[in-house]
Each structure stands twice: as C-alpha cells, then as structure tokens.
C-alpha cells in the first residue's frame, strides 16, 4: 500500500473516500473508538414484517416524539403558578378578570405567541393519539397472541406505558387551570380522599393542604414535563431494545416459520418507509392542530370553586373513568370513626385497578390454563382463539359503554329524557352489553373456523347463464386484479455484502483498480496473490 499517494484532484479525493463519502469516514472514526460496526450490521439487518398492523405501534412512538417537540416549545411560555393576577392581555373578553398565572400564561400562549395556539393544539391532539395508538396497538397484540412467551415482559412494559400515558395526559390537561381542568383536579382530590385510612394523608401530602392549595400546579408541572416523560422514554427504549433483541412476530403464511422472519430489512427499505410514516403522522397532527379546535380554554374561563361547567366531557383517555363515576350508585359505609365513599372508591380506584392488573397477569393466566410453555414467533389469527377473542371483545364492550356513560347529561338533554333513566340504562348496559359482545364474538370465531382457508379472501364473481333446456348454470368468472393474494418468494438476506473498492491513484499516476488493490493487500501479507482475502467478521 506504500505505492499509493495523496489524491491530486477533488474528484480523486471523493473516489478515495469510498461510496459513502464523509458519512463512511465519520462511521469509521466512531467505530475505531467504540467498536459498533458489528452491532450496527446486526441492527441494520433487522427484518420487519410487511403488515399494516405493525405500524400501529409506530403511530404511538411518533406521537410521543411530537409531544416532546411541541412540549419543549410550550414550556418556554407557560408559567406554572397559582398566584392570582388581574388579566390585561390581548384576549379582551377576559380583560380585568382575576385568574391564576397559569391560566393567564395559557391564554397569552394561545393568542399572543406566534404559532402558540397551533403548538398547544398539536400537543393536545398528539396526546390523544398517543394514548389511542397504545390501546389499539395492545389490542392487536392481545388478539393475535403476541404477548406469549418470550414476550411477556414487553407486554408488561406496554401496560405500564398505557398507565403512565393516561396519568401524564391528565396532568397536562390540568395545567392551564381553567374551569374544566380545575374541576378535574377537584375530582382527583376526592378520589384520593376516598381511599380508606390513608386517603386524607395522601391528599394533604400531594396538595400541600386542603384543596386547592397553592402548589398543585407547580407539582403537576414537574411531574408532567420531567419525571413522567423520562420514565416513559426509558420504557419505550426498553420496549424497542427487546423488540430488536427478540425475533419479530409475524402472521402465518408462505415461507414463514417459527425460526425465521419474512419482511424488509431495517436499512434501507424499512427505514425509508418508517421515515415517510413519521412525516405522515406529523402532517396529520399538524393539520388537526391547525384546523380542528380542541380544548378552547378561553371559552371556559378560569377555575372557580363555586362554578361548574356543563356539556363538557374530559379527553377520551379519562372518559371511561368519568363514566364509571357517573353511573355508580351513591353507596357509602361509616364505622369506627371512618367513612368509605363507595360511590368514588369503587369506580375510581378499585375498578381501574382490576382492569390494569388483569391486563398485567393475562399472559400468566393464559399460560396456566393452556399449559403452553413453547416459544412463539408466529401469531394467532383471532378466529383460531375464540375464547381469548371473546374475552377481549367483552372487555372492549365494557370500556366503550363506560366511556359512553360519561355523556349522560348530554344524552338526557338531547333526547329529552330523564337523567335518572339514562343512568339506569348505562348501569344495566355495562353488565349486559359485554356479555352479548363476548358471546357474539365467540360464535363468529367458531363460524369462521368452519370456513377454512377461504375466509378472508375476496369472493370471485359468478357468471350465470341459461341453457337451452331452461336450466341456470353458474360459472366462476375469470380472476380480476386483486382477487388472488400473491406474495413474493422469501429470499434469505445475505450475511455480508461485498462493496467494490473505488479506483485509486498509483505512484506513477496510473489508476489502480479494486482487483489490483486487493491483490496488493494479499501480497503484502504474504499471500500468493491468487486467492481472495476474507475479512474476519
């Protein structure tokens, strides 16, 4: 290699740097110090199945990225303080109104800061999408059995992410200190008080005294922008690490087994697709933030303890809890100097605790009753697991009915019904509807099992003709585009791709080709020049 000299022109310098140019140089410098080349090759060769349902988790990931980006913008202008001020800002309908600094800064952020309202609404929409995407993603995992061995830990991480996302969404929703969010904080204070024996101590410890106190906004702010996002980010990192470490699940199909993954490698195919998907999600959130109004706090006014709003429901991730509180009968127990308000404690503490704990233990529960201790890389089709599908459908039916119950006052007013009648309807529906939904889902799964492989495929058209004798005969039509499902043949990904080296300039000014450079390298190491040197992996 001593016969190579420094390139004399810019074109020769670019050729000497290799096909990846400066990027390759940077990567080589990093690899010389950290030794990441081997791990990078493994990561870039990670195979991702080509199925639309696997994009649901990416929606949640990209929504979280948007939340962080817009949240950083909002923190520059929001003032997390409950100190009372008199508003004299740009929004004239509230001029001269006494309010907290948190509410005043939220109003100015919406109307006095350039793009402030857009960022506020994008942040709010991204929070709703983030929680909704986690729910739908986990529903896909549940119904397809992707939580089975060896992915129980990842399922647990997903449940914890959902819980933290709901809590953090409630904290962020409460920060503006408007009439709606202030009422929500008052409900949260009552939920803490309903916990037997320790509830009053927890409420005083968190709020710094009786409601509303003077520090709850500041504490919610620290939890919302610092502590919970760090925990959520760490859990997402653990989730993605396990995803890379373990084989990716895939649906049964041609060429797919328990020991391989058929799809696209991370680089360049999947990376290009997922980058485009990130831009699409960002674009949709941007359109929602700019065109669809959400949480217009200037219409609600600042929080006042003696006032309450009407016909306003919380965000969807808190709607199911609000509905459970609404339909619970007014039961309570008093004795030994203590009062337990069951109308708050049962729907707001016991009920969500049962739901989330059931989700956490479901993999162990199913494994115990099915005696299934095998590793699973292939997913189930929901129709092949009718009991699991029925249980999941029943749970979704229960949550949907409780969520619908959060609008009892609006339904009663719109349909001119008695509020008491609407309450009793939902009290009965939350028991009856999940049973019906579970039974119907179970029966549908059994019917689809009997359909064989034809289920899920598009039906071919029939051509009906009449013979001379008057008989009608049906003949299957010729296949149309899209009638038959076609898949490419799975091709093994090469373990190593040899890249041809660029030409370099020799000592005499002549160009030395890749073969000559390789031969020179072999000869310099004592080889005979006729073989191929294999680079150790």
């Amino acid at each position: 290699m001593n016969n190579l000299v420094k390139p004399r022109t810019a074109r020769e310098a670019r050729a000497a740097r290799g096909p990846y140019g400066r990027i390759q140089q940077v990567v080589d410098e990093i690899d010389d110090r950290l030794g990441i080349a081997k791990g990078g090759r493994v990561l870039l060769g990670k195979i991702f199945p080509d199925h639309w349902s696997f994009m649901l988790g990416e929606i949640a990931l990209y929504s979280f990225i948007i939340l962080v980006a817009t949240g950083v913008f909002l923190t520059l202008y929001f003032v997390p303080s409950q100190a009372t001020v008199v508003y004299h800002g740009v929004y004239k309908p509230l001029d001269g109104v006494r309010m907290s600094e948190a509410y005043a800064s939220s109003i100015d952020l919406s109307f006095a800061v350039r793009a402030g309202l857009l960022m506020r609404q994008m942040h709010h929409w991204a929070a709703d999408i983030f929680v909704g995407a986690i729910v739908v993603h986990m529903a896909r995992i549940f119904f397809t059995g992707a939580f089975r061995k060896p992915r129980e830990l990842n399922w647990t991480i997903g449940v914890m992410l959902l819980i933290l996302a709901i809590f953090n969404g409630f904290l962020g929703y409460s920060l503006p200190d408007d009439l709606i969010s202030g009422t929500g904080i008052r409900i949260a204070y009552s939920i803490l008080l309903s916990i037997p024996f320790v509830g009053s101590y927890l409420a005083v410890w968190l709020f710094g005294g009786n409601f509303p106190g003077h520090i709850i906004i500041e504490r919610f702010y620290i939890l919302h922008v610092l502590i919970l996002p760090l925990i959520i980010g760490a859990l997402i990192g653990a989730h993605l690490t396990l995803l890379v470490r373990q084989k990716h699940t895939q649906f049964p199909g041609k060429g797919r087994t328990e020991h391989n993954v058929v799809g696209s490698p991370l680089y360049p195919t999947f990376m290009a697709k997922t980058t485009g998907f990130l831009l699409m999600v960002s674009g949709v959130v941007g359109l929602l933030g700019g065109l669809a109004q959400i949480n217009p706090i200037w219409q609600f006014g600042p929080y006042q303890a003696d006032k309450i709003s009407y016909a306003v429901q919380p965000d969807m991730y808190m709607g199911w809890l609000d509905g459970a509180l609404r339909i619970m009968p007014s039961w309570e127990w008093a004795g030994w100097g203590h009062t337990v308000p069951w109308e708050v404690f049962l729907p707001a503490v016991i009920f969500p605790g049962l739901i989330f704990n059931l989700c956490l233990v479901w993999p162990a529960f199913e494994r115990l009753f099915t005696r299934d201790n095998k590793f699973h890389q292939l997913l189930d089709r929901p129709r092949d697991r009718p009991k699991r599908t029925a249980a999941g459908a029943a749970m979704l039916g229960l949550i949907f009915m409780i969520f619908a119950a959060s609008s009892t006052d609006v339904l009663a007013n719109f349909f001119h019904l008695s509020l008491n009648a609407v309450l009793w309807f939902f009290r009965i529906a939350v028991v009856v509807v999940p049973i019906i939904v579970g039974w119907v889902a179970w029966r549908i799964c059994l019917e689809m099992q009997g359909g064989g492989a034809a289920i899920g495929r598009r039906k071919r058209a029939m051509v009906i003709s009449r013979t001379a004798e008057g008989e009608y005969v049906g003949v299957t039509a010729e296949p149309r585009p899209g009638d038959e499902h076609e898949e490419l043949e799975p091709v093994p990904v090469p373990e190593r791709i040899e890249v041809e080296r660029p030409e370099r300039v020799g000592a005499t000014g002549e160009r030395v080709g890749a073969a000559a450079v390789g031969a020179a390298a072999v000869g310099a190491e004592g080889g005979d020049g006729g073989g191929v040197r294999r680079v150790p992996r």
Side-chain angles (χ1 to χ4, degrees):
M1 303 295 291
N2 295 328
N3 61 335
L4 299 181
V5 298
K6 184 178 179 180
R8 292 172 296 180
T9 64
R11 179 176 298 178
E12 293 172 353
R14 286 196 299 269
R17 286 195 293 265
Y20 301 106
R22 295 288 185 186
I23 297 178
Q24 182 65 44
Q25 286 187 333
V26 173
V27 173
D28 288 341
E29 291 292 335
I30 296 176
D31 183 59
D32 289 342
R33 292 156 178 82
L34 302 179
I36 61 174
K38 183 177 180 181
R41 286 195 298 268
V42 174
L43 179 62
L44 294 178
K46 173 72 176 177
I47 302 298
F48 289 84
D50 298 321
H51 195 274
W52 65 268
S53 65
F54 295 103
M55 309 294 281
L56 298 172
E58 295 180 43
I59 297 177
L61 175 61
Y62 300 148
S63 299
F64 180 73
I65 294 174
I66 297 171
L67 280 171
V68 173
T70 55
V72 170
F73 179 91
L74 298 178
T75 56
L76 301 177
Y77 301 96
F78 179 73
V79 180
S81 173
Q82 290 179 265
T84 303
V85 297
V86 178
Y87 182 75
H88 294 292
V90 297
Y91 188 68
K92 295 306 179 183
L94 291 176
D95 186 61
V97 176
R98 295 175 63 86
M99 60 185 65
S100 66
E101 283 191 281
Y103 184 72
S105 64
S106 299
I107 294 295
D108 287 337
L109 176 60
S110 301
F111 296 107
V113 177
R114 181 172 297 179
L117 183 58
L118 173 64
M119 290 297 174
R120 265 198 66 239
Q121 298 198 147
M122 284 183 63
H123 192 75
H124 205 122
W125 277 114
D128 287 349
I129 295 173
F130 180 54
V131 179
I134 292 177
V135 172
V136 179
H137 177 59
M138 294 194 67
R140 196 276 301 174
I141 292 174
F142 177 84
F143 286 112
T144 58
F147 57 84
R148 295 172 297 172
K149 186 179 180 180
R151 296 175 180 83
E152 301 94 336
L153 179 58
N154 237 357
W155 170 262
T156 302
I157 292 175
V159 176
M160 297 306 299
L161 277 173
L162 177 59
I163 296 173
L164 292 176
I166 292 175
F167 269 109
N168 210 30
F170 170 74
L171 296 179
Y173 175 83
S174 304
L175 290 180
D177 200 29
D178 59 287
L179 184 59
I180 305 302
S181 64
T183 304
I185 297 176
R186 183 67 180 88
I187 295 174
Y189 182 80
S190 301
I191 293 173
L192 286 176
L193 288 177
S194 71
I195 302 176
F197 304 112
V198 298
S200 59
Y201 300 101
L202 289 174
V204 172
W205 171 74
L206 180 61
F207 283 79
N210 290 327
F211 179 85
H214 300 285
I215 59 174
I216 191 61
I217 295 297
E218 291 91 331
R219 291 184 173 182
F220 277 10
Y221 179 76
I222 294 299
L223 289 171
H224 178 70
V225 305
L226 180 62
I227 298 177
L228 289 185
L230 288 177
I231 299 175
I232 291 174
L235 289 177
I236 291 177
H239 179 78
L240 295 178
T241 300
L242 287 175
L243 177 66
V244 173
R245 180 67 181 84
Q246 299 169 341
K247 287 182 179 294
H248 207 298
T249 56
Q250 59 185 348
F251 286 98
K254 188 175 182 180
R256 299 179 175 92
T257 68
E258 294 279 4
H259 307 288
N260 71 345
V261 180
V262 179
S264 303
L266 175 63
Y267 180 83
T269 308
F270 183 79
M271 190 175 292
K273 292 194 298 184
T274 195
T275 302
F277 197 50
L278 168 62
L279 298 177
M280 290 174 60
V281 173
S282 303
V284 170
V285 174
L287 289 175
L288 289 173
L291 302 177
Q293 179 177 275
I294 188 170
N295 197 26
I297 58 175
W298 55 90
Q299 296 181 5
F300 308 144
Y303 176 70
Q304 299 180 25
D306 60 335
K307 293 185 179 180
I308 192 67
S309 60
Y310 168 74
V312 178
Q313 278 64 47
D315 284 81
M316 63 92 182
Y317 48 83
M318 296 301 298
W320 64 286
L321 186 61
D322 182 68
L325 284 167
R326 291 187 183 217
I327 65 176
M328 181 66 192
S330 55
W331 298 344
E332 69 176 29
W333 175 86
W336 298 295
H338 295 276
T339 299
V340 180
W342 298 113
E343 67 267 28
V344 179
F345 181 62
L346 284 179
V349 179
I350 299 298
F351 175 69
L354 290 175
I355 294 294
F356 288 120
N357 278 285
L358 180 60
C359 293
L360 287 171
V361 302
W362 182 269
F365 177 81
E366 181 171 312
R367 184 177 176 182
L368 176 64
F369 280 86
T370 59
R371 306 293 182 183
D372 185 3
N373 296 316
K374 299 179 181 178
F375 281 77
H376 292 279
Q377 312 299 344
L378 292 178
L379 298 173
D380 292 330
R381 297 193 182 278
R383 68 169 181 261
D384 297 329
R385 295 292 184 266
K387 294 180 181 178
R388 181 204 298 155
T389 303
M395 177 65 73
L396 292 178
L398 171 64
I399 298 300
F400 177 79
M401 291 308 301
I402 294 177
F403 174 79
S406 65
S407 60
T408 51
D409 54 341
V410 177
L411 294 174
N413 183 62
F414 183 81
F415 291 104
H416 305 287
L417 299 173
S418 167
L419 179 60
N420 192 50
V422 176
L423 287 174
W424 273 105
F425 167 79
F426 280 106
R427 288 170 182 171
I428 297 173
V430 295
V431 177
V432 175
V433 169
I435 296 175
I436 296 176
V437 170
W439 182 82
V440 171
W442 179 66
R443 291 299 307 174
I444 291 176
C445 289
L446 296 181
E447 290 292 333
M448 295 182 71
Q449 285 182 4
I455 297 296
R457 296 184 179 180
R458 183 177 177 183
K459 293 183 178 179
R460 294 272 293 277
M462 298 290 294
V463 178
I464 307 298
S465 59
R466 186 177 182 181
T467 63
E469 292 78 14
E471 179 183 5
Y472 289 94
V473 179
V475 181
T476 303
E478 293 295 327
R480 298 170 296 177
D483 281 346
E484 298 180 350
H485 181 68
E486 298 181 357
E487 294 185 357
L488 297 176
E489 291 290 340
V491 179
V493 178
E495 295 183 358
R496 183 175 180 83
I497 300 177
E498 297 291 344
V499 180
E500 183 179 356
R501 299 183 182 183
E503 296 180 344
R504 299 187 181 182
V505 181
T508 60
E510 61 189 15
R511 296 187 179 275
V512 181
V517 173
V522 174
E525 296 185 4
D528 57 3
V532 179
R533 177 171 175 260
R534 299 187 61 85
V535 180
R537 297 183 59 188

